[in-house]
Amino acid sequence: MRQILTFAAVGVVNTATYYCLYLLFLTGLPYLAAHILAFTLAMVGSFFLNARFTYRTPPTWRKFLLFPLTNVTNFLITTVGVYLIVDVLHAGSRFAPLVASAAAIPVTYVVSRWVMLPKSIA
């Protein structure tokens, strides 16, 4: 239970970081480029926060290199979601990432646990 709550707290910090970066990059980049850059930078921060606080495991190069792969599903879900919200639903790009990211949270937890604690069952 502690891991799930800590994962959620790290997720809130990560989402806030991502969203602030997204808004910053949105001032000079198209929304998809802003999304990709903000997502990548926030994911690096998420790796270190999850290693330290959620899973209490030392960060290694192996885990660091695998961690982005675990977020491929998250990335695809949020990217498709942002595209659908902005280009299909015409709902605007400002809040689209927050809405789109909600569906990816459970998948990201299971896969990140598998990467960070490879001997445990997610």
Side-chain angles (χ1 to χ4, degrees), residues 6-122:
T6 306
F7 183 81
V10 168
V12 168
V13 169
N14 186 52
T15 301
T17 301
Y18 160 78
Y19 191 58
C20 288
L21 290 171
Y22 173 75
L23 292 177
L24 175 69
F25 297 146
L26 194 58
T27 62
L29 297 172
Y31 76 89
L32 279 177
H35 164 67
I36 292 167
L37 185 56
F39 188 94
T40 301
L41 293 173
M43 188 170 44
V44 171
S46 177
F47 168 75
F48 288 105
L49 289 173
N50 276 303
R52 172 71 174 96
F53 297 107
T54 304
Y55 303 112
R56 296 181 182 180
T57 184
T60 65
W61 278 109
R62 179 186 179 280
K63 292 174 189 173
F64 182 75
L65 294 174
L66 287 175
F67 193 77
L69 297 176
T70 69
N71 284 284
V72 168
T73 302
N74 182 306
F75 178 78
L76 292 174
I77 291 169
T78 58
T79 302
V80 169
V82 167
Y83 169 77
L84 290 173
I85 292 166
V86 174
D87 283 346
V88 175
L89 299 176
H90 304 288
S93 60
R94 197 160 191 82
F95 296 105
L98 296 177
V99 175
S101 66
I105 293 169
V107 175
T108 304
Y109 173 75
V110 169
V111 179
S112 69
R113 181 176 164 86
W114 175 77
V115 167
M116 302 301 275
L117 303 171
K119 292 183 175 125
S120 69
I121 297 173

